Amino acid sequence: MSEFKKRIITSFFLLLLIFFSFLNYKSLSFFLFILIFITLFELHNIFKKIYKKKYFLIFVANILSVIYLGYFSITIMLFLSEGFIINKFVVLYLLIICILTDIGGYVFGKIIGGKKLTRISPNKTYSGSAGSFLLSILIGYVFFKLLSDLFFLNINIFILIIIISFISQFGDLFISLLKRKAKIKDTGSILPGHGGVLDRIDGILFALPIGLLIIKMYS
């Protein structure tokens, strides 16, 4: 089976898993716990490769990871605890923007190519970055109109999308930097065609909590 087919099948099951996890607060809490546990494991393996036998640095890096991922989880769960039925659509919308950013970068980067964006990730191009913004703005606006009856955002939707897309791309580059230092292609192999869990949620880890904080500020 080709990598592309594996990627499609894995993406389908991931979307199903996300859908069912948002059915209620408890299922989402459990899903988030598993997600964070796997992410911490993958980060630990990256730090071991970067710092070799410098155990203190590995320990510090792991502690910082636990602190940030704890903040990530708490931000989401507190936001949802205020009204799960309505607020889950806000979280899902931000996830959609992150996914569109990832897809836009991949598709436009492959089709157009062009000048490399940075040495950190040789596959990232200026055309891919522009595609990330373009796709997230265009389709993100359509999704917003479709979901506008389910939630209200007291902030200009285009500004929100651009901020979320930018931070998502930053998160992707940051994890790419860690992988480059660790001299690995993927953070794991748990997701056929994709790599590790961290490979899929790198941008989300940064964009989602910041997006929720922005929305709370303007609510």
Side-chain angles (χ1 to χ4, degrees):
M1 185 181 295
S2 68
E3 285 299 306
F4 182 72
K5 287 183 178 179
K6 288 181 182 179
R7 195 180 184 93
I8 294 297
I9 294 172
T10 303
S11 297
F12 174 75
F13 282 106
L14 281 175
L15 290 173
L16 279 180
L17 185 60
I18 292 173
F19 172 78
F20 284 113
S21 69
F22 273 86
L23 290 178
N24 58 65
Y25 192 82
K26 288 184 178 179
S27 62
L28 183 59
S29 300
F30 178 74
F31 173 74
L32 196 56
F33 174 79
I34 298 298
L35 192 71
I36 295 305
F37 179 82
I38 296 173
T39 302
L40 285 171
F41 177 77
E42 292 182 354
L43 281 170
H44 174 67
N45 287 334
I46 290 175
F47 296 142
K48 284 198 302 182
K49 289 181 172 63
I50 293 175
Y51 297 117
K52 308 298 182 184
K53 294 184 179 181
K54 298 176 181 178
Y55 300 113
F56 178 74
L57 292 177
I58 295 173
F59 173 76
V60 171
N62 283 325
I63 290 297
L64 291 175
S65 298
V66 170
I67 292 172
Y68 182 78
L69 290 174
Y71 155 76
F72 171 82
S73 304
I74 291 171
T75 300
I76 295 172
M77 300 316 295
L78 285 178
F79 183 80
L80 291 173
S81 67
E82 296 175 2
F84 183 79
I85 301 300
I86 295 176
N87 286 351
K88 72 177 180 180
F89 290 106
V90 177
V91 176
L92 282 169
Y93 181 70
L94 294 179
L95 286 174
I96 289 171
I97 300 303
C98 293
I99 292 170
L100 289 171
T101 296
D102 189 47
I103 294 173
Y106 181 80
V107 172
F108 279 74
K110 284 289 185 181
I111 294 176
I112 300 176
K115 189 176 180 180
K116 303 300 180 184
L117 183 64
T118 173
R119 292 182 180 179
I120 294 174
S121 181
N123 294 324
K124 301 291 188 299
T125 60
Y126 282 99
S127 62
S129 180
S132 293
F133 285 117
L134 182 62
L135 194 67
S136 59
I137 289 172
L138 292 178
I139 302 183
Y141 180 74
V142 173
F143 269 103
F144 175 72
K145 285 298 183 181
L146 293 174
L147 297 173
S148 59
D149 292 335
L150 299 174
F151 64 85
F152 172 76
L153 295 179
N154 192 28
I155 181 175
N156 185 285
I157 191 61
F158 294 109
I159 293 176
L160 179 64
I161 291 174
I162 290 171
I163 292 173
I164 297 304
S165 182
F166 175 80
I167 298 172
S168 182
Q169 292 182 59
F170 169 81
D172 189 352
L173 286 175
F174 179 74
I175 299 303
S176 293
L177 175 63
L178 293 182
K179 290 191 291 185
R180 188 178 180 86
K181 287 183 175 296
K183 297 179 181 179
I184 57 174
K185 180 179 180 293
D186 299 316
T187 60
S189 57
I190 193 172
L191 302 175
H194 287 277
V197 168
L198 188 55
D199 290 311
R200 291 301 93 212
I201 67 169
D202 44 15
I204 294 171
L205 284 176
F206 290 84
L208 189 54
I210 293 177
L212 293 178
L213 288 175
I214 292 173
I215 290 170
K216 286 293 293 180
M217 286 172 57
Y218 287 90
S219 62

